[in-house]
Amino acid sequence: MDKNNIFKRETLIKQLEANANWDVIIIGGGATGLGVVLDSATRGFKTLLLEQVDFAKGTSSRSTKLLHGGVRYLAQGNIDLVKEALYERGLLLKNASHLANNQSFIIPNYNWFDTIKYTVGLKIYDALAGKLSFGTSIRINKKETLSRLSTIKNGKLKGGVVYHDGQFDDARLAVNIAQTAIEHGATVLNHFKVNQLTKNIKGLVNGVVAEDTETKVSYTLNAKVVINATGVFTDEILKMDNSEAKNMVRPSQGIHLVLDKSFLPGNDAIMIPKTNDGRVLFLVPWHNKVVVGTTDTLLDSHSLEPKALDEEIDFIIDTVNNYLTKKVSRADVLSIFAGLRPLAAPKDKSEKTKEISRSHKIIVSNSELITITGGKWTTYRRMAQDTVNKAISIGKLESKPCKTKDIKIHGAMDAIDKTQHQYIYGSDKTAIQALIRETPEFGETLHPRLPYTKAEIIWAIRYEMARTVEDILARRVRTLFLDAKATLEIIPMVAKILANELGKDDIWELQQINECNKIANQYVL
Ligand SMILES: Cc1cc2nc3c(=O)[nH]c(=O)nc-3n(C[C@H](O)[C@H](O)[C@H](O)COP(=O)(O)OP(=O)(O)OC[C@H]3O[C@@H](n4cnc5c(N)ncnc54)[C@H](O)[C@@H]3O)c2cc1C
């Protein structure tokens, strides 16, 4: 491994140990925390981010993979929110061109009223994107709808409305943002859990106590400002600050099923604007498979591996079967994953749970701990800008302008050929191919049903901070989200490569196999 590798854990831990005082410490390495570390580091603040498991282990690897303004929010008249998200969508296509794609969506229409409603509504959506528009929406007739969506039921179909939105790889964007922040001087560590907040004599938060979960070594770290960006774990951190704190969030689960591409051949995604329970359902092409979701189920507790409920699975399968000629059954599901949105917990029994994930919320506690929650992946950059601005406005940091509008995300490059699966690495692709030239064995694919090579596994370990088999298969090459059964078959091979790269023994390797098997089994239906 080359000694100038700035992504090596040993290097990052040395940075942690060498710095007694940080300007900013961020708890949580999902979209929100990673956005903040990039914003803060590029403004020139000495910044540290700590993630208890892996980047995007929480909700941020379990999204519908859309970069969108939210057609649904437009229908609710939330114009400012839609406009802001469409602007951010445009920036992502510019700054993370290797991960963000322009995706066409077709809304199938079954009556003329809907056709007019969606045609007009989507013209407004286009107009709100201004110069950063992804393409004009148009109405298409029944014949064209049937030819573009070859598996859609013919029946009472009248036609369709085509519009454009963004589509991306969420966990890979998370890893690439972490790398970009490191390249701009931040220290970013996964497998590091914050267990405690520290306070000065005035009762103001001035740091954290965190544990390296690999070595079990504990560190006390000081900072001018601590930012809580822990999604559905928000209340756990708020209770470290004040054990009496009322719950701020309540989780609502959304699940996705992944199907073979033959259920939706072609390049278009489908947007079903109103399911039987009044929700939106998407069928989106993703890495040569189709992601279908989502649901909205209020839960009483949260976990790092939420489980899909039977009724959620039935609901998605039944809804898809109302629209497609190719019948979906449970046996067709290649992978199933669930994510949790943080909703605003009711203040008292009379108040209902409200969704706060539509717009983000920044709260400053009496102890000056800053909490950022809600929002969506699409707006992660803007959320980060607002969070660091808040720290400046309350006098925790000196005033410096935000730079992220023009910061390219690690891997971004012009003119990418997206026909081969390694396009997702952008400018890193040539280095991965060089690995194969040096060691031809690395060119072997992992599984007959998966295009990924051993070189991508090596790359994830050496340069993308992957520390466990699950880090690799869930959030670097995404096989767990694409084909859970195939993933179960390759776990031992990947564990061997990982143990070899990290210099670990057979016992550690076996533990890795067992731990990853346990998680991967939950993705099989
Ligand atoms: C079903 C679903 C579909 C969605 N689809 C889309 C979409 O298509 N497009 C879109 O733009 N948005 C989408 N979203 C929203 C988007 O995914 C979320 O807004 C975003 O991922 C939230 O990121 P986060 O960083 O706030 O939370 P998380 O990703 O959950 O990150 C919080 C992190 O904090 C860490 N953490 C917790 N406690 C500690 C501790 N003590 N120490 C250290 N680390 C800790 C956790 O391990 C976790 O990784 C969707 C959300 C859901 C639920």
Side-chain angles (χ1 to χ4, degrees), residues 5 18 25 117 124 126 281 325 403 434 442 447 457:
N5 180 357
I25 293 180
K117 185 170 83 181
I124 299 172
D126 293 346
L281 193 86
T325 48
K403 303 251 177 71
F442 292 168
H447 189 280
I457 307 302

Side-chain angles (χ1 to χ4, degrees), residues 27-33 50-54 56-60 62-68 168 192-194 229-233 237 240 252 254-256 294 304 339-341 374-378:
I27 315 171
T32 309
L50 302 170
E51 159 56 46
Q52 63 176 346
V53 185
D54 184 28
K57 165 73 185 179
T59 305
S60 298
R62 301 155 191 272
S63 77
T64 313
K65 330 293 178 205
L66 302 180
L67 299 171
H68 60 161
F168 76 127
F192 240 94
K193 183 170 188 203
V194 170
T230 53
V232 287
F233 296 84
I237 307 296
M240 289 179 193
S252 167
I255 74 149
H256 294 89
T294 182
L304 276 166
L340 301 176
R341 7 178 134 67
K376 52 186 176 179
W377 239 123
T378 311

Side-chain angles (χ1 to χ4, degrees), residues 407-436:
I407 300 277
K408 296 279 183 212
I409 300 301
H410 181 97
M413 64 187 285
D414 298 330
I416 302 173
D417 169 13
K418 294 195 170 177
T419 52
Q420 198 250 8
H421 82 276
Q422 280 180 0
Y423 79 81
I424 207 86
Y425 293 94
S427 56
D428 282 342
K429 185 175 148 187
T430 44
I432 294 172
Q433 289 175 342
L435 280 178
I436 299 173

Side-chain angles (χ1 to χ4, degrees), residues 379-443:
T379 54
Y380 86 98
R381 191 209 63 83
R382 176 59 193 266
M383 291 164 66
Q385 178 180 334
D386 291 353
T387 308
V388 178
N389 283 350
K390 176 60 92 179
I392 291 170
S393 76
I394 62 167
K396 304 293 281 181
L397 299 171
E398 63 182 289
S399 182
K400 293 183 188 180
C402 174
K403 303 251 177 71
T404 48
K405 274 183 197 160
D406 299 314
I407 300 277
K408 296 279 183 212
I409 300 301
H410 181 97
M413 64 187 285
D414 298 330
I416 302 173
D417 169 13
K418 294 195 170 177
T419 52
Q420 198 250 8
H421 82 276
Q422 280 180 0
Y423 79 81
I424 207 86
Y425 293 94
S427 56
D428 282 342
K429 185 175 148 187
T430 44
I432 294 172
Q433 289 175 342
L435 280 178
I436 299 173
R437 276 197 303 280
E438 282 160 27
T439 314
E441 188 210 318
F442 292 168

